[in-house]
Amino acid sequence: MSKALVAYFSVSGITARLAERLASAIGADLHEIQPAQKYTAEDLDWTNKKSRSSVEMNDKSFRPAIADKVENMDQYDVIYLGFPIWWYVAPTIINTFLEAYNLEGKKIIPFATSGSSGMGRTNVELEDSCKGADLMDSKRFHADAGIDELKAWAEQF
């Protein structure tokens, strides 16, 4: 049996709660991807083209620093990777996280929360950051997705 990790990035707590439910449902370890510099409300103002998140998302090469790394990433075969959808893709901090590890032979399974937008080009934007890994199809969940729904989804991998 493979060892699984649920790694997630969450600013508002919505993705965090979903990730916690998923980890509980499948018996996986849990890791929060934290930015080295926390996001403020002003940073997240998507209507301001000069806000931090707008600048980051408009420059696909931008890699926000992360505060800590997963110890012993080698022990995980499967990584469920959670995040909110920003501009129809994963926030670039997710690329930072993926590029920090040797992912050779691992299965990466993205999942996201969003008010209304779908996954867009998420997998296309993550593909280069997952060298050597098997990047699976991503899925968007409602914030209130239940344990049974999460477990049924995860069991297909």
Side-chain angles (χ1 to χ4, degrees), residues 1-65:
M1 178 174 218
S2 63
K3 181 134 172 122
L5 173 69
V6 174
Y8 69 92
F9 169 67
S10 183
V11 177
S12 67
I14 293 169
T15 305
R17 288 187 293 277
L18 185 71
E20 290 164 2
R21 281 196 304 276
L22 174 60
S24 175
I26 63 174
D29 291 343
L30 189 65
H31 173 78
E32 181 179 4
I33 302 166
Q34 298 181 35
Q37 178 185 352
K38 301 252 186 243
Y39 289 90
T40 65
E42 293 81 23
D43 291 336
L44 299 171
D45 181 2
W46 60 271
T47 64
N48 177 355
K49 292 183 194 270
K50 294 184 180 186
S51 74
R52 179 177 162 200
S53 60
S54 295
V55 170
E56 290 176 6
M57 294 307 293
N58 284 318
D59 178 359
K60 296 303 179 183
S61 67
F62 192 86
R63 298 294 184 260

Side-chain angles (χ1 to χ4, degrees), residues 89-104:
V89 294
T92 55
I93 195 168
I94 298 301
N95 298 85
T96 304
F97 175 79
L98 292 167
E99 292 166 6
Y101 303 99
N102 175 358
L103 301 173
E104 188 76 32

